[in-house]
């Protein structure tokens, strides 16, 4: 009768004197051992180098790795034996995880992945819409220019005549503003002298 796989958490502390390559090799060997005994590593969290509260085997710090895994309970003995004989490991701890906590965590992760996929789809749709607008924009500008030139032609005045009138209106407005400024300055000087 096959046994049902249970959820476990494995924490290991690797000797800090080993290099990054050898630390990855240790993690890979542990993953292979778990797979060979009917288990599956769901996630490996590399925490990094942390300082110990007290020296362990003359080391003041170690490289921490945490594994989320599932395996049948009969495989625990073999995995523990493999961890004990590995000389690169300073400490290890294998814990059974509460199934309710695991199901809640997996549900949250699934919701987060769905939310991320939805945001990415919205972003891609917005980018595609912006690209479509940019592709259509030169056509719209050409149509707007054609419409403005046809309007100028209907009035019978060249475009330069219209712009000359606009310039004259702007000059008149500037002259009126200058006159008002001069009157205000003269008033303020008269008040200052009085």
């Amino acid at each position: 009768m096959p046994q049902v796989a249970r959820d476990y958490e494995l924490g290991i502390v690797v000797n800090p004197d080993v290099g990054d390559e050898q630390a990855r090799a240790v993690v890979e060997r542990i993953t292979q051992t778990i797979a060979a005994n009917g288990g599956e590593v769901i996630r490996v969290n590399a925490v990094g180098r942390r300082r110990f509260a007290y020296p362990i085997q003359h080391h003041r710090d170690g490289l921490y790795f945490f594994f989320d895994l599932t395996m049948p309970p009969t495989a625990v003995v073999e995995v523990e034996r493999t961890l004990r004989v590995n000389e690169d490991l300073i400490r290890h701890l294998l814990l059974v995880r509460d199934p309710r906590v695991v199901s809640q965590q997996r549900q949250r992760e699934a919701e987060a992945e769905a939310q991320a996929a939805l945001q990415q789809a919205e972003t891609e749709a917005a980018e595609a819409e912006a690209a479509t607008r940019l592709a259509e924009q030169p056509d719209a500008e050409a149509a707007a220019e054609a419409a403005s030139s046809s309007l100028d032609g209907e009035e019978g005045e060249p475009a330069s005549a219209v712009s000359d009138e606009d310039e004259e209106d702007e000059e008149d407005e500037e002259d009126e503003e200058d006159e008002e400024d001069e009157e205000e300055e003269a008033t303020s000087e008269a008040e200052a002298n009085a």
Side-chain angles (χ1 to χ4, degrees):
M1 182 166 122
Q3 290 192 350
V4 177
R6 296 182 69 180
D7 292 295
Y8 293 90
E9 182 176 16
L10 171 64
I12 63 170
V13 180
V14 179
N15 183 341
D17 296 336
V18 303
D20 289 338
E21 295 291 327
Q22 195 170 355
R24 284 191 205 107
V26 169
V27 169
E28 187 61 33
R29 273 184 288 181
I30 293 170
T31 303
Q32 290 173 356
T33 302
I34 292 168
N37 288 295
E40 177 187 3
V41 175
I42 298 168
R43 179 184 316 109
V44 178
N45 183 13
V47 176
R49 185 179 296 262
R50 295 286 184 258
R51 190 154 185 86
F52 297 146
Y54 54 89
I56 301 174
Q57 299 175 3
H58 305 292
H59 297 290
R60 297 295 293 168
D61 53 358
L63 302 172
Y64 282 75
F65 294 91
F66 292 96
F67 297 76
D68 286 337
L69 54 105
T70 59
M71 65 181 172
T74 55
V76 171
V77 174
E78 181 62 28
V79 171
E80 283 276 344
R81 187 191 67 73
T82 304
L83 294 171
R84 261 185 269 148
V85 298
N86 192 333
E87 294 178 0
D88 292 331
L89 295 182
I90 296 174
R91 292 281 192 270
H92 71 274
L93 180 63
L94 184 64
L95 299 173
V96 178
R97 297 183 70 195
D98 185 9
R100 291 175 292 182
V101 173
V102 172
S103 66
Q104 290 172 354
Q105 180 183 4
R106 290 188 181 146
Q107 183 178 3
R108 283 193 305 268
E109 289 172 357
E111 290 172 358
E113 288 176 6
Q115 183 70 21
L118 179 63
Q119 287 178 350
Q120 185 170 355
E122 289 174 354
T123 303
E124 290 174 356
E127 289 174 356
E129 184 177 326
T132 304
R133 286 182 184 166
L134 286 176
E136 294 174 353
Q137 189 174 10
D139 296 337
E141 288 178 0
E145 287 179 16
S148 67
S149 65
S150 67
L151 289 177
D152 290 341
E154 289 175 4
E155 294 175 4
E157 296 179 3
S160 60
V162 172
S163 63
D164 289 341
E165 290 176 7
D166 291 340
E167 288 177 9
E168 290 175 8
D169 290 339
E170 289 177 8
E171 289 176 5
D172 291 341
E173 290 175 8
E174 288 176 5
D175 291 340
E176 289 174 7
E177 290 175 3
D178 289 341
E179 289 174 8
E180 290 174 4
D181 289 340
E182 290 174 4
E183 290 175 9
E184 288 177 7
E185 288 177 10
T187 307
S188 61
E189 285 180 12
E191 290 175 358
N193 291 335

